[in-house]
Every structure is written in structure tokens, then in C-alpha cells.
């Protein structure tokens, strides 16, 4: 496993268009983007490199992002990585449920690009909005 890269962000999202939007936004600010489309790919990525931040889609195929968040937070190598839930599910109680599952923050889709970049900068040390 490589050492932590303060500028790498793991994006776990199954929809290509959503990944592309997030990738363009993050790369425009100089972040290294690592992508996974499901829980299994995400775990492989985490085993190879520990990112500074994880952006977690909640509605993933197979294992949900909520379940994956619990799994990541339970792992001593990954438990301290901040996780921001990105979800279109903006129902009453969703934010609280996801924070209880281990997410450090919550953003609903479609994302507000300024707020998105501000939140990323908050969690990734040394980054500038």
C-alpha cells in the first residue's frame, strides 16, 4: 500500500455522467481522481492507495454505499478517511441515517459546484477552492 496522498480523492459512483462531472470539477482544482463503480472496485482501490477523501454514492449496484461506508469505517487502515455521501436521495432523515452509518458529510445531487468544491477543500488538507 502506498502512503497517503493528501490530494487524491476516491470517487465511488456507478453513473458515468456523474463521475465525469465530479472528475472535471476535481481535476480543475488539481486533485488526483481515483474512480470505482461499485463496492468491490472501491475496496481494490483502497488496498492500492489510501486517499485523502472518499466521495460515496449511496445507490450503488450490489452493496450499497451506506453498507460500504460502515465497512470502510470499521477498517483500521481506512477508518479515518473522511467520507462525503453524494446522493439523490434527499428524503427526510437520510442525512442523519448516513451520518450515523459513518459518513462525515452529506451532499445531495445535483451538486452545487461552489458548495461541492468548498466542502472538498474543507476535508482535503492543503487544498484551495
Amino acid at each position: 500500500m502506498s502512503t497517503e496522498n493528501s490530494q487524491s480523492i476516491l470517487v465511488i459512483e456507478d453513473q458515468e455522467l456523474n463521475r465525469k462531472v465530479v472528475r472535471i470539477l476535481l481535476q480543475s482544482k488539481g486533485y488526483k481522481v481515483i474512480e470505482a463503480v461499485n463496492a468491490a472496485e472501491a475496496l481494490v482501490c483502497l488496498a492500492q492507495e489510501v486517499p485523502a477523501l472518499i466521495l460515496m454514492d449511496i445507490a450503488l449496484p450490489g452493496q450499497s454505499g451506506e453498507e460500504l461506508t460502515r465497512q470502510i469505517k470499521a477498517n483500521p487502515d481506512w477508518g479515518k478517511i473522511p467520507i462525503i455521501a453524494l446522493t439523490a436521495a434527499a428524503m427526510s432523515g437520510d442525512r442523519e441515517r448516513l451520518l450515523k452509518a459513518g459518513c462525515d458529510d452529506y451532499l445531495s445531487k445535483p451538486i452545487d459546484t461552489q458548495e461541492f468544491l468548498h466542502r472538498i477543500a474543507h476535508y482535503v488538507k492543503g487544498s484551495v477552492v
Side-chain angles (χ1 to χ4, degrees):
M1 182 186 330
S2 67
T3 59
E4 182 170 316
N5 177 348
S6 65
Q7 297 295 318
S8 68
I9 298 174
L10 174 57
V11 178
I12 307 168
E13 166 67 62
D14 63 321
Q15 299 295 318
E16 172 57 35
L17 182 59
N18 292 341
R19 276 197 321 277
K20 183 177 182 179
V21 169
V22 168
R23 180 187 327 118
I24 290 168
L25 284 169
L26 294 175
Q27 288 177 340
S28 76
K29 295 297 181 181
Y31 298 109
K32 175 184 174 186
V33 179
I34 306 162
E35 297 180 31
V37 299
N38 57 40
E41 280 188 19
L43 294 172
V44 169
C45 291
L46 285 165
Q48 294 171 347
E49 180 175 345
V50 178
L53 176 67
I54 297 171
L55 299 177
M56 177 76 72
D57 179 27
I58 299 306
L60 293 172
Q63 184 179 8
S64 75
E66 187 176 345
E67 293 168 359
L68 180 57
T69 295
R70 286 190 185 97
Q71 185 177 356
I72 291 169
K73 289 296 187 174
N75 184 305
D77 293 332
W78 308 328
K80 295 201 184 308
I81 303 168
I83 299 175
I84 299 177
L86 291 179
T87 182
M91 303 296 286
S92 176
D94 284 344
R95 184 179 201 286
E96 293 74 19
R97 188 185 84 248
L98 295 171
L99 294 175
K100 187 176 180 182
C103 292
D104 297 276
D105 208 338
Y106 171 97
L107 287 169
S108 61
K109 296 177 196 172
I111 58 173
D112 172 312
T113 56
Q114 293 296 347
E115 179 64 18
F116 175 77
L117 291 172
H118 176 74
R119 299 265 188 103
I120 300 299
H122 172 78
Y123 287 100
V124 180
K125 292 174 178 56
S127 53
V128 178
V129 177

